[in-house]
Structures are given as C-alpha cells and as structure tokens.
Amino acid sequence: MVNSKAWFVIINPTSGYGSSRKKWTGIKQLLTAYGFNFHHAFTEYHKHSVALVHQAIREGIKNFISVGGDGTLHNIVNAIMTQDVVISSEINVGIIPIGTGNDWVKTHHIPSNIEQAIQLIKNGNVAKQDIGKIEFIGQKKSAVYFNNLAGIGFDGYVVSKVHKYKHIGALAYLAGTFVGLFSFKNFHSKTIINSQVVSGKTLMVLIGLCKYSGGGMQLTKTPNPFDGLFDVSIAGNFSKFDIIKNVSKLFNGKIVDVKKVFSFKSPSIIIETHLNDEFPFIQADGELIGTGDIKVVMASKAFSFYSNNEN
C-alpha cells in the first residue's frame, strides 16, 4: 500500500507547446523543496493519464498534481469520475497550469506562476466544484465528463481547427474562429431544457460550469461551478456578418446580450441534432469527443481541487 500522504504528479510533455517537459526539472526541484512526497509520470499517448490515475487510485493515492493545460486536467477529471474505488470528491487535485488556453484556472484564480501554484497546493485549501456528464443517446459509447465548458456546433468546429495554431498560444482559438467562419454551416438543433423546447437553425449550444473558455472567451451568462446548475447559451441562426460584428463580445461576456442568444440555468439538458445530414462536432473542455444527440446531467460537488478558497 502506498503512503496515503503521497502525491502522484502527472506531466503532459506536449502541453504549452512543449513547455511542460522543459520546465519539469524546475518544477520537480520546487516540489521537493516544499516537502512533497511524490511519484511522477509523463503521459505517452492520448488519455494515458486516465490509465495512470486509475492505477494510482487502486494503489491508495488520493492526491494528484496536474502539470499541463485544460486538456490534461480534463483527462484527469474523467479518470477520477470513471473509477469505482473511492468517492470522486475524496480525491484531491492540484494544478500547475502550463497549456494553450489555461481557461479553467482563470475562474478559480489559480496562479500561472509555478511556485505560487505549488504554494497554493501546499496550503491545503480544498474546494469542491460541480462536474457535467455527457451521455450519448442511441450510441454504445461511454459518457464523457467536463469540468469547464462543453459545446456543440461552431464551438466544436473551432476546436477541430485549433491544433494547427497551438504554437501561438491562447490566440490559437481566435485563429480557429476566423478559419471556421468561412467553412462552418449552421445546423438544425432541438434543445430540451426546463421542460422548454428551443429548436431551429443554430450556430452553437454551450453548456458552462466555469467562466472562461477558448483562450479567455466568456460564452455563458452567469456560470457558477458551485451552484448545481449549468449555465446554457443557445446561439441561434447567426450569419457570418453577425459573428464578425460580435467577435469582441465573445471576450467581454456581452455575447449573451445579443438578441439571437438565449440563456438558461438548468441541472440537465438534451440536445438533438439527428435531423442534419452531418452531425456537428461536440467538444468538452476543448477536447473533441464525438457527434450525435446528447443528454447532459449534473454531478454536484463531485470534483475536489486545491484552491484559494473553500467551497
């Protein structure tokens, strides 16, 4: 049995366009200096962190540190939510943010400075936030969890383009937006939320827990990762001109005030897209996860992490 006070550090060497690997020596020295008893591993393939976390939990480890970006944390969260050894909220995760967008940490004011991030973990304040669960309707496919924001439509299409521009950091999402602008076609959706049905031509549907996504964009109205409710934005039949005219509003949060955007709060949502010849992409925390009809449900206070504040 592993010492219950031991930590397992997971490093994604490709995060931040390779910054995680370059900075690991310094991070390792700081963790040692601050008295962490830890093991570590580099991820070697997509979703390797899921296998690493599952194995570590089976060996008795309940404290993890994620060294990477939003995608790295997304995979660790999915590992925690899909293991059946302990209650998910009993597993604590510290974050040393090194990635392209680093959007999730902005909501929780986790510092980008490495030593300050380590100090925050060492302080030991744990917060518990909500997690979203995406279930695929009519598909033999495992559920996917998200801790920040999920989207279907233009949002997912942009994510499919972002990997080509990750060398320019957070601006990669803006570059992906402009590239997608000229090739994305609005789709027909039927969204069922709070016993209401919203249907018609759609640019995208966004399901938010936290405030920022896509390199600092603010796409939902009043997200709160602790209130047990999703913050949902349905962007209707935007033209290309509508998108260009409102690009700045994607970043200042005013996009939710545009007439073609409808906002809701709810613990669950169903989105149907099967009336289209081609299914729009679905993304969760900036990771493409598939296509098709989905149901999204809430797992309240399911994820524990080291934070500036307790919730």
Side-chain angles (χ1 to χ4, degrees):
M1 180 66 68
V2 173
N3 183 341
S4 62
K5 295 183 179 179
W7 296 73
F8 193 84
V9 184
I10 295 175
I11 310 103
N12 180 351
T14 65
S15 291
Y17 209 60
S19 293
S20 290
R21 183 180 291 279
K22 296 174 184 176
K23 295 178 179 179
W24 170 243
T25 299
I27 294 170
K28 184 177 181 180
Q29 291 172 347
L30 284 168
L31 289 171
T32 301
Y34 277 92
F36 285 86
N37 171 23
F38 66 94
H39 308 275
H40 76 276
F42 288 90
T43 56
E44 299 174 0
Y45 53 86
H46 184 51
K47 295 187 180 179
H48 185 198
S49 53
V50 175
L52 292 171
V53 170
H54 282 176
Q55 180 61 33
I57 292 172
R58 285 194 294 268
E59 293 177 357
I61 290 178
K62 293 185 180 181
N63 289 289
F64 293 84
I65 295 177
S66 171
V67 181
D70 293 317
T72 308
L73 181 60
H74 168 82
N75 285 329
I76 290 173
V77 167
N78 273 268
I80 291 169
M81 296 301 297
T82 54
Q83 56 78 40
D84 58 4
V85 178
V86 296
I87 297 170
S88 65
S89 59
E90 293 180 358
I91 300 166
N92 303 321
V93 179
I95 296 89
I96 299 175
I98 302 173
T100 302
N102 288 330
D103 284 306
W104 180 83
V105 296
K106 295 184 181 78
T107 290
H108 297 294
H109 307 292
I110 293 172
S112 57
N113 177 276
I114 291 172
E115 184 166 7
Q116 291 176 3
I118 291 172
Q119 288 174 338
L120 184 151
I121 298 168
K122 188 67 176 178
N123 287 342
N125 292 327
V126 174
K128 299 181 189 297
Q129 79 149 69
D130 300 329
I131 292 293
K133 180 183 181 182
I134 300 171
E135 301 172 346
F136 295 87
I137 300 172
Q139 298 184 55
K140 293 181 180 179
K141 186 172 180 177
S142 299
V144 176
Y145 298 84
F146 65 97
N147 53 283
N148 192 32
L149 178 138
I152 184 169
F154 185 69
D155 187 46
Y157 192 77
V158 168
V159 169
S160 75
K161 303 296 181 184
V162 162
H163 70 279
K164 297 180 180 178
Y165 307 102
K166 285 205 170 183
H167 61 283
I168 60 175
L171 290 175
Y173 294 94
L174 188 57
T177 297
F178 281 106
V179 170
L181 177 64
F182 297 102
S183 51
F184 180 78
K185 294 181 181 179
N186 289 353
F187 62 102
H188 186 88
S189 74
K190 177 182 176 182
T191 301
I192 304 167
I193 185 168
N194 297 333
S195 300
Q196 293 180 257
V197 177
V198 181
S199 62
K201 281 287 188 177
T202 309
L203 177 71
M204 57 185 171
V205 182
L206 302 158
I207 307 135
L209 289 166
C210 296
K211 189 173 183 179
Y212 303 98
S213 63
M217 295 182 186
Q218 301 178 52
L219 302 176
T220 62
K221 193 170 186 178
T222 54
N224 181 341
F226 306 109
D227 69 357
L229 298 170
F230 296 117
D231 204 50
V232 178
S233 293
I234 302 174
N237 196 21
F238 274 58
S239 67
K240 290 178 172 53
F241 177 72
D242 288 332
I243 299 172
I244 293 170
K245 182 174 66 175
N246 291 293
V247 162
S248 64
K249 294 179 181 179
L250 296 172
F251 290 90
N252 62 20
K254 293 184 178 180
I255 191 67
V256 296
D257 298 324
V258 175
K259 288 184 179 180
K260 293 182 180 180
V261 177
F262 306 93
S263 299
F264 301 87
K265 297 280 278 188
S266 177
S268 65
I269 178 172
I270 294 173
I271 306 169
E272 298 179 356
T273 61
H274 59 266
L275 296 177
N276 298 276
D277 293 332
E278 295 182 10
F279 287 125
F281 289 125
I282 305 167
Q283 68 84 18
D285 301 331
E287 300 288 307
L288 288 179
I289 62 168
T291 60
D293 298 345
I294 57 173
K295 180 180 181 180
V296 188
V297 295
M298 178 67 69
S300 297
K301 307 284 188 182
F303 175 55
S304 298
F305 63 96
Y306 290 92
S307 169
N308 281 304
N309 302 299
E310 296 183 28
N311 280 280

